[in-house]
Amino acid sequence: MPDKEKKTGTNISRRSFLKGVGTGTVAATVAPSVLIGSEKETEAQAGDAVASATIQLNINGKPYQVEVEARTTLLTVLRDGMDTSGKNIDLTGAKLICDRGECGGCTVMVDGKTVYACMMLAMDAQDTQITTVEGLADGDDLHPIQEAFIQHDALMCGFCTPGFVVSSAALLSENTKPTLEEIKVGLSGNTCRCGTYPFIFDAVKSASKKM
Amino acid sequence: MEKFSYVNATSLEQVATLLSDSRWGEVMLIAGGTDLLAELKEYIETPKTLINLKTLPGMDGIKADAAGLTIGALTTVADIAKHPTIRHHYTVLAEAAGSIATPQIRNVGTLGGNLCQRPRCWYYRDETTNCLKKGGDICFAVDGLSKYHAILGGDPVYIVHPSDLAPALIALGASVKIVGPEGEKTMPLEDFFTLPAANPFRENVLQPNEIVVEVQVPPAKPNTKSFYLKAREKGAPDFALASVAAVFEMNGKTCVAASIVLGGVAPAPWRSKEAEAVLTGKMINETVSKQAGADAVKNAQPLNDNAYKVTLTQNLVSRAAMMATS
């Protein structure tokens, strides 16, 4: 591998620019076919461009140091990420379903607002407060919306439920007494293929009485 | 997604320089990322570097005063939808913003990103299809599946522009501020968008090293009524099959001035001068509003699967005109 780098004329600064990337990527990035005219300028000016970095994410009130590639999504970190001490983050409540920001299964809150974790880069979630479905309960005390989902049997297969619970909690924190229409709009970014919507709407209504 | 590197923007000059020193598509900009990440995941775009614009100071926020509205490019769609002045005086814009996608997307999607988003055409979004828009020879919608494609201004690429904010802002007479290596310039938002006949590869006149920084909207005139009507395939969040952004200056039931801009039916937001001509200076009634709808689509040339859009658009324009009288 070092021989190949010498042949393509790359030097130490090029390597430090790519520090932290696997050697396979170094080889691919410096392969002659992608060495184009502007390579030198990009290298010099993008001094602070990073292919990967160790970042801090604040999830459910706890700081996590994680090493991520620039392309790693927040959802990937939550579900499959590992902190720098080697411990799995293992917050698998947010689900990977469509992976295109359409189904809502991966909904989490960033600074109190719902986002699709599959459509947000982990690096973009730095300096924010992230709340996942795991962070809603206070110890053994469930969030009112979680209790309401149980009482109203607001799920069938349950796969979309964490996303719906997070969206419902965010809706109720902004609007404690939503109308049915406001509930529908508030939950319009989540999809339930079992069709339990009426029960979900009932659950939000009943939780709103306790907010 | 392919691997890329990521850099936080520190100034507009730095962004313009990074863009100038790279080839088209090699360095791309990310704000909300809801459109870009979908393109990266489908390998439609494979940039080497992403510049994070969210670290630029002073580019988000809405200023509403006697001079009108100034909206920074990083302002989220959700913030536009719920802004009290916009809801009250620029209703068409608040309605358009509220109609976009889902709460999760409105919370992160930005004004600049909404204006610069790429088409939703299924041929364009398919990694393996090398269509005319991506440098190939054919717009596959012409002989292929064209249910969601253009009925106006298509030739030779029949995509529709997916933005909801753009028709509303154009109907309000907005202009856009752009920064490039040579400094800043402002142009009418209407002139920002281009048709495929002028450039089949892009949807706007933005140069590879330029960036949208702000949109300005002139003050709302008194006695103005405005509406955004959007037809979707289902009740669920979606892009428009057809939409109408309509701004009327009324004197009783007489229309003093009208701006009618169509979305979802052409490769760029489509100003209907024909409908405006029918409505301007007239007492609006059912006959006049029907004529406005008919004239809005008189030059429409539907493809195999989208003739329904002609009727849909016609009725939306008529309905908007009737709403101005109530």
Side-chain angles (χ1 to χ4, degrees):
Chain A
M1 207 60 75
D3 288 343
K4 197 169 183 183
E5 282 178 9
K6 269 177 206 146
K7 270 182 213 156
T8 55
T10 52
N11 53 27
I12 297 301
S13 87
R14 176 76 204 168
R15 294 186 67 186
S16 59
F17 170 63
L18 292 162
K19 210 164 83 179
V21 185
T23 46
T25 313
V26 175
T29 314
V30 299
S33 64
V34 294
L35 279 177
I36 41 116
S38 63
E39 180 83 0
K40 264 208 151 69
E41 286 84 346
T42 308
E43 184 182 15
Q45 278 154 1
D48 51 351
V50 291
S52 68
T54 301
I55 61 171
Q56 178 174 317
L57 294 177
N58 304 306
I59 309 166
N60 302 329
K62 242 176 89 182
Y64 292 82
Q65 303 285 332
V66 285
E67 190 178 354
V68 295
E69 286 186 357
R71 64 175 172 171
T72 307
T73 63
L74 174 57
L75 183 61
T76 303
V77 172
L78 293 174
R79 294 182 57 82
D80 304 323
M82 188 187 275
D83 71 12
T84 42
S85 71
K87 201 163 157 275
N88 289 332
I89 294 177
D90 209 23
L91 292 169
T92 53
K95 298 287 180 277
L96 174 68
I97 309 176
C98 76
D99 200 24
R100 294 293 182 278
E102 289 170 11
C103 73
C106 66
T107 303
V108 299
M109 282 187 244
V110 169
D111 288 336
K113 290 176 176 169
T114 55
V115 305
Y116 294 133
C118 75
M119 296 300 276
M120 175 174 273
L121 296 177
M123 288 197 177
D124 283 344
Q126 290 177 84
D127 305 319
T128 66
Q129 298 295 330
I130 301 156
T131 308
T132 69
V133 71
E134 291 91 343
L136 290 180
D138 182 8
D140 286 341
D141 294 334
L142 294 181
H143 187 284
I145 190 64
Q146 293 173 307
E147 283 181 344
F149 263 67
I150 296 167
Q151 273 158 16
H152 289 267
D153 202 11
L155 58 138
M156 196 183 283
C157 83
F159 210 58
C160 69
T161 309
F164 267 103
V165 167
V166 173
S167 281
S168 304
L171 169 67
L172 290 171
S173 71
E174 266 192 19
N175 180 356
T176 51
K177 296 281 175 282
T179 63
L180 179 60
E181 192 49 40
E182 286 166 341
I183 294 171
K184 286 183 178 176
V185 171
L187 301 184
S188 61
N190 294 73
T191 303
C192 170
R193 289 292 71 160
C194 303
T196 55
Y197 297 104
F199 302 95
I200 295 172
F201 300 154
D202 286 349
V204 177
K205 268 249 151 96
S206 114
S208 76
K209 293 184 186 123
K210 293 181 196 155
M211 299 295 288
Chain B
M1 278 186 270
E2 297 276 6
K3 293 190 184 206
F4 50 80
S5 58
Y6 179 97
V7 52
N8 286 322
T10 53
S11 69
L12 285 169
E13 295 71 35
Q14 174 224 20
V15 176
T17 309
L18 282 171
L19 288 170
S20 295
D21 291 345
S22 64
R23 293 205 301 201
W24 190 286
E26 218 174 70
V27 174
M28 297 187 78
L29 309 176
I30 182 165
T34 55
D35 186 43
L36 181 66
L37 290 192
E39 288 199 294
L40 301 187
K41 289 181 180 195
E42 303 288 351
Y43 301 94
I44 307 299
E45 296 285 359
T46 50
K48 295 171 84 178
T49 304
L50 289 192
I51 306 176
N52 171 29
L53 296 178
K54 293 181 291 299
T55 47
L56 285 176
M59 261 184 51
D60 66 336
I62 301 167
K63 202 174 88 191
D65 54 26
L69 281 178
T70 308
I71 313 175
L74 291 178
T75 310
T76 64
V77 174
D79 284 345
I80 294 172
K82 70 175 183 216
H83 193 273
T85 309
I86 296 179
R87 289 169 70 105
H88 194 246
H89 294 289
Y90 306 87
T91 316
V92 63
L93 180 56
E95 288 179 354
S99 81
I100 292 170
T102 62
Q104 289 93 324
I105 287 183
R106 295 196 288 273
N107 282 340
V108 289
T110 63
L111 167 62
N114 186 272
L115 298 178
C116 298
Q117 64 183 309
R118 303 308 309 277
R120 305 305 305 184
C121 168
W122 41 37
Y123 297 110
Y124 170 77
R125 294 272 166 172
D126 177 33
E127 181 195 350
T128 57
T129 305
N130 189 27
C131 69
L132 187 47
K133 185 135 212 74
K134 292 189 279 193
D137 299 326
I138 300 171
C139 175
F140 291 97
V142 176
D143 292 319
L145 299 167
S146 53
K147 185 174 175 186
Y148 303 114
H149 290 79
I151 55 169
L152 286 159
D155 192 25
V157 173
Y158 288 82
I159 59 131
V160 296
H161 202 284
S163 174
D164 289 299
L165 295 183
L169 286 165
I170 291 171
L172 290 166
S175 46
V176 58
K177 196 204 275 182
I178 293 165
V179 166
E182 276 92 57
E184 65 176 55
K185 61 182 175 187
T186 301
M187 64 165 71
L189 187 59
E190 193 176 354
D191 300 339
F192 175 74
F193 295 99
T194 53
L195 288 174
N199 181 352
F201 311 119
R202 310 296 304 174
E203 296 81 57
N204 55 56
V205 298
L206 208 61
Q207 293 300 303
N209 52 13
E210 289 179 329
I211 158 175
V212 169
V213 296
E214 186 178 287
V215 169
Q216 297 148 357
V217 184
K221 296 212 177 77
N223 305 318
T224 293
K225 285 184 178 179
S226 69
F227 313 98
Y228 189 71
L229 303 183
K230 174 173 174 178
R232 284 174 278 210
E233 193 158 29
K234 299 172 283 186
D238 206 346
F239 293 91
L241 295 172
S243 69
V244 177
V247 179
F248 303 97
E249 205 187 325
M250 300 296 289
N251 179 6
K253 298 217 164 185
T254 304
C255 172
V256 180
S259 289
I260 307 287
V261 184
L262 310 178
V265 293
W270 189 268
R271 171 159 231 141
S272 179
K273 294 221 161 74
E274 296 85 355
E276 291 172 4
V278 171
L279 297 166
T280 305
K282 299 254 178 56
M283 174 91 96
I284 296 187
N285 54 32
E286 208 154 300
T287 318
V288 172
S289 66
K290 278 199 170 142
Q291 190 61 47
D295 280 20
V297 294
K298 70 180 176 192
N299 297 320
Q301 290 180 310
L303 300 166
N304 291 332
D305 306 328
N306 65 0
Y308 75 95
K309 280 195 181 192
V310 178
T311 321
L312 196 58
T313 310
Q314 178 174 351
N315 289 337
L316 286 179
V317 171
S318 302
R319 194 183 299 171
M322 284 310 286
M323 284 167 76
T325 65
S326 60

